[in-house]
Amino acid sequence: MDIHEYQAKELFRNAGVPVPPGEVVTTPEEAEAAAASFGGQVVVKAQVHTGGRGKAGGVKLASSPEEARAHAEKILGMDIKGFTVEKVLVTPAEDIETEAYVGVLVDRSTQSPVFMVSPEGGVDIEEVAETNPEAIRKVAIDPRYGLLPHQAYAMAAFLYDEPSQVKQATKIIGQLHDAFTANACSLAEINPLIVTPAGEVKAIDAKVSIDESGLFRLPEVEAYRDLDSEPASETKAREAGLSFVKLDGNVGCCVNGAGLAMATMDLVKYYGGEPANFLDIGGSSNPDKVVAALEIITSDPSVEVILFNIFGGITRCDDVAKGIVEATKRIDIETPIFIRLTGTNETEALEILKEAGFSAYTSMDEVVETAVQHAAKA
Amino acid sequence: MSIFIDDTTRLVVQGITGRDGSFHTRQMAAYGTQVVAGVTPGKGGQTFELDDGSQVPIFDTVEDAVEETAANASVIYVPPAFAASAIMEAADAGIDFITAITEGVPVQDMARANAYVLDCGARLLGPNCPGLISPGKAKVGIIPAQITTPGPVGVISRSGTLTYEAVNQLTQAGIGQTTCVGIGGDPIIGTDFIDCLEAFQEDPDTEAIVMIGEIGGTDEQDAARWVNQHVDVPVIGFIAGQTAPPGRRMGHAGAIISGSAGTAEEKMKTFEENGIAVAKRPVDIRDLVKEALGV
């Protein structure tokens, strides 16, 4: 789960990281008032779950409260890479001597948290990694011992020469690690970490992604979830315990298992169609889940056909068939449904579907090809 | 032969009295797996009845179970909050082979548990995996036994039902398997593709290997290069998620394309460059295996 910059800064502040104050507002008037309360120059920053906000015109410097208001007026409601800006962060502008990068993420290849630091901050770190890899230092953190003091010091010394700055950065790296572990982060990033003319080291931008699997222990972080930043269908799916991602095609897919769901989408494409979604109903054959899945799929007006692909292993095909029949009784569905069921209790399932007036396929290729052809005609 | 488990495996089930644990314990025992013990804290001293009426002793700790029954493998069906602890408990008790079925284990918990398992010299499979089956010998986990049959193909996969799809097609075509291993869909897992490839390469009965991967990470690419250097038998590969959009998690916690890394296209290309036959559709896996085996 991605969280907003202002939320990430809150987590960092709680861990002791020096972060300048800020106020999140939703109207130009509030932006003006916030700018007036801070005094001096402020930065107005769009709060959206995507990078490249600056390039898109979503980050602006204002010299007066009136200017802050004018910027907020333009930025609020702006579309940045498909995300509508609902909130802006107003924060005092800082004078910057140098910009560094400090980040920590869960690294798949070392199977541990890995810190990345670079004195070349304020830019895209992936770009630095490509053009100037020597400017990045990576340190894997042994999860048994956590970040060790000498590791934090070595990274800080890689960033700065001035002893006071090294000392401040050592502390900040430790605090960032604390925030990372306390909040089940998969990524926690300060970019840039600046040094002011007075020699103070501060975090002026923050990016955090949370491991969804860790959220059950962190209700206060779960509360950061921004429902405006995802389609309503995805919110509904999550509440129903379904794994769902909306896509742009017209073939609605309902599959058990994530791998098979992806393979089904790929096969839709193979036969010349476009999947409307990724949807994994999981191992459960609970009719409520099937109902929720069908409601979510049919609420997308671009869906022309619905495709079920169920491989009964532990999941029993007859349970899923009952779920489909039950669902079509509870909600009115006009979209044609193509069903493929195979595996455990397949015969019983086909019988149940036949009685309810559905026909079913047993081959994955056959059902996908047929559904795609039908969608193309619609 | 087979890899990791066979008819000498002595299994302890962690979470044997839970809904999933009890259901799958019966399935595993019915298949012929030696289920020698169960563990549920607070229920030590009770027994768990199998379908044939035999009783499996339940212990409070894995340590007790190992001491009393000489269990050498464990399978974990406990909720996500306790899974990492259960894994470390098994490793600490001297279990050699630990399979964690649980989905949704926090990633940082897993980083710690994985390091601990390595320190103990144990092997972990999973988490978030369907386990494995050596057809005709033993099954640990949740793979439906009826879709498998003994034979010469080793199967390794990050997915559950997609594996069933592929294995079922092999079985229906009369092509059996030495072992089918689901390594799991999480970003941090124990046994990976290369560990399985290594085991299959050493197994004289495995004449072809099927690798089913998906988007996210670079495990498949690393495995492809390993195949090129070390594997003598033909390898057939499939990657799910060719149509997945970047930056979105596709069900599995590990199935996410970050930047330009981890795409299906990149993985398929690396497969091809390293001599792995790439199946475009799941059904093509069967045909490529047939071709490789000359049947």
Side-chain angles (χ1 to χ4, degrees):
Chain A
M1 175 179 90
D2 290 337
I3 63 174
H4 288 300
E5 174 196 355
Y6 76 93
Q7 297 165 330
K9 283 181 165 173
E10 203 166 284
L11 295 182
F12 289 178
R13 264 190 217 108
N14 292 344
V17 177
V19 179
E23 203 172 315
V24 184
V25 300
T26 55
T27 67
E29 294 72 31
E30 288 169 347
E32 182 177 4
S37 75
F38 289 126
Q41 282 195 326
V42 296
V43 187
V44 181
K45 306 176 85 174
Q47 298 296 293
V48 279
H49 290 177
T50 180
R53 292 174 300 170
K55 275 184 200 153
V59 178
K60 294 276 183 208
L61 185 69
S63 301
S64 66
E66 295 71 34
E67 202 183 346
R69 179 196 174 109
H71 286 324
E73 222 153 64
K74 273 194 200 133
I75 295 171
L76 285 163
M78 180 187 266
D79 180 277
I80 303 180
K81 295 184 188 169
F83 293 93
T84 308
V85 182
E86 309 277 353
K87 293 171 188 158
V88 293
L89 175 66
V90 180
T91 181
E94 297 284 338
D95 289 325
I96 299 171
E97 292 267 295
T98 65
E99 293 182 291
Y101 170 94
V102 179
V104 54
L105 75 157
V106 175
D107 178 55
R108 302 169 75 122
S109 54
T110 58
Q111 308 227 310
S112 65
V114 167
F115 263 91
M116 289 211 296
V117 300
S118 172
E120 292 189 14
V123 291
D124 186 354
I125 193 68
E126 287 190 12
E127 223 173 278
V128 179
E130 244 170 59
T131 56
N132 190 11
E134 302 83 48
I136 296 178
R137 184 174 177 134
K138 286 188 189 183
V139 178
I141 305 304
D142 189 313
R144 288 164 291 201
Y145 311 119
L147 174 70
L148 300 171
H150 74 273
Q151 294 174 319
Y153 175 81
M155 287 188 270
F158 179 73
L159 297 178
Y160 305 114
D161 294 325
E162 171 65 41
S164 126
Q165 292 167 18
V166 174
K167 197 174 163 192
Q168 292 175 68
T170 304
K171 200 168 164 192
I172 291 170
I173 287 167
Q175 290 160 335
L176 181 66
H177 183 258
D178 291 345
F180 176 81
T181 48
N183 298 293
C185 299
S186 47
L187 169 80
E189 189 177 84
I190 300 171
N191 188 22
L193 182 71
I194 63 154
V195 177
T196 67
E200 286 176 297
V201 183
K202 288 182 186 177
I204 65 164
D205 200 354
K207 187 178 170 193
V208 164
S209 298
I210 310 282
D211 168 21
E212 297 263 355
S213 299
L215 281 171
F216 70 91
R217 289 188 190 126
L218 301 162
E220 67 289 355
V221 179
E222 171 67 52
Y224 282 154
R225 193 184 288 281
D226 182 357
L227 298 180
D228 290 334
S229 72
E230 65 181 12
S233 54
E234 290 185 10
T235 308
K236 188 176 155 76
R238 196 179 46 255
E239 283 164 359
L242 302 166
S243 198
F244 175 85
V245 177
K246 189 180 168 345
L247 303 168
D248 299 328
N250 60 1
V251 180
C253 301
C254 187
V255 187
N256 68 325
L260 190 60
M262 277 189 269
T264 304
M265 286 161 43
D266 295 348
L267 205 56
V268 166
K269 182 94 175 176
Y270 179 90
Y271 284 111
E274 289 290 340
N277 63 279
F278 165 92
L279 192 153
D280 172 11
I281 58 164
S284 158
S285 18
N286 181 344
D288 290 340
K289 275 198 177 180
V290 182
V291 171
L294 281 169
E295 277 175 356
I296 290 162
I297 293 175
T298 51
S299 68
D300 178 352
S302 50
V303 169
E304 303 283 3
V305 297
I306 300 167
L307 167 64
F308 271 85
N309 185 14
I310 305 297
F311 195 101
I314 302 312
T315 304
R316 289 167 37 167
C317 289
D318 55 334
D319 282 346
V320 177
K322 279 179 209 154
I324 295 172
V325 173
E326 172 72 28
T328 50
K329 276 184 202 157
R330 280 200 237 165
I331 51 172
D332 200 23
I333 298 171
E334 283 169 18
T335 320
I337 303 178
F338 295 85
I339 304 165
R340 181 270 181 140
L341 290 156
T342 195
T344 312
N345 293 4
E346 177 183 317
T347 323
E348 292 87 334
L350 297 181
E351 200 56 40
I352 291 166
L353 289 173
K354 201 175 151 195
E355 259 175 47
F358 290 102
S359 54
Y361 299 77
T362 52
S363 144
M364 175 166 166
D365 282 78
E366 202 186 342
V367 75
V368 172
E369 195 175 5
T370 312
V372 168
Q373 282 168 358
H374 205 94
K377 275 185 244 147
Chain B
M1 289 260 295
S2 54
I3 66 167
F4 303 143
I5 57 164
D6 58 25
D7 41 18
T8 65
T9 300
R10 296 176 62 78
L11 186 70
V12 50
V13 179
Q14 294 176 255
I16 192 169
T17 53
R19 193 190 52 150
D20 293 339
S22 55
F23 177 79
H24 293 295
T25 297
R26 291 196 174 88
Q27 301 268 325
M28 291 187 289
Y31 191 65
T33 312
Q34 289 191 63
V35 180
V36 297
V39 169
T40 297
K43 295 196 178 168
Q46 301 180 15
T47 59
F48 179 86
E49 187 172 311
L50 297 174
D51 291 345
D52 65 2
S54 59
Q55 304 289 325
V56 176
I58 301 177
F59 299 91
D60 284 325
T61 66
V62 181
E63 191 183 358
D64 291 348
V66 170
E67 205 173 290
E68 297 294 323
T69 68
N72 60 6
S74 96
V75 61
I76 294 170
Y77 299 97
V78 307
F82 314 108
S85 168
I87 290 168
M88 292 189 278
E89 185 194 350
D92 202 19
I95 294 285
D96 301 323
F97 186 73
I98 304 160
T99 301
I101 306 300
T102 311
E103 177 174 5
V105 184
V107 180
Q108 292 193 34
D109 286 15
M110 269 320 299
R112 210 157 65 103
N114 218 12
Y116 191 89
V117 167
L118 292 174
D119 276 355
C120 295
R123 172 180 291 290
L124 170 68
L125 181 66
N128 189 16
C129 80
L132 73 172
I133 183 165
S134 297
K137 293 173 182 154
K139 128 171 170 166
V140 171
I142 64 174
I143 295 177
Q146 72 272 18
I147 60 164
T148 69
T149 192
V153 181
V155 179
I156 318 164
S157 173
R158 267 170 77 182
S159 153
T161 47
L162 176 57
T163 315
Y164 308 164
E165 179 79 45
V167 170
N168 189 45
Q169 289 182 8
L170 289 176
T171 297
Q172 285 186 342
I175 302 167
Q177 307 87 38
T178 46
T179 301
C180 305
V181 190
I183 60 173
D186 272 7
I188 293 193
I189 54 173
T191 300
D192 61 13
F193 278 112
I194 294 178
D195 296 324
C196 297
L197 287 168
E198 206 169 352
F200 279 130
Q201 167 65 20
E202 282 166 20
D203 173 26
D205 291 344
T206 299
E207 294 168 26
I209 300 170
V210 172
M211 270 177 65
I212 300 173
E214 61 188 33
I215 54 163
T218 55
D219 277 8
E220 288 86 348
Q221 296 90 310
D222 297 340
R225 288 184 273 272
W226 201 90
V227 164
N228 194 353
Q229 288 169 6
H230 303 282
V231 178
D232 302 324
V233 299
V235 179
I236 290 90
F238 179 81
I239 300 290
Q242 297 163 40
T243 46
R248 300 302 310 272
R249 166 175 151 169
M250 306 303 277
H252 289 158
I256 182 165
I257 300 169
S258 318
S260 60
T263 63
E265 197 187 351
E266 172 195 338
K267 293 186 185 216
M268 289 158 73
K269 187 164 160 267
T270 317
F271 274 4
E272 273 167 1
E273 285 166 359
N274 288 282
I276 297 174
V278 177
K280 299 271 183 308
R281 302 173 294 168
V283 68
D284 297 332
I285 296 172
R286 176 195 65 198
D287 297 340
L288 290 170
V289 170
K290 275 183 166 175
E291 208 173 288
L293 293 174
V295 296

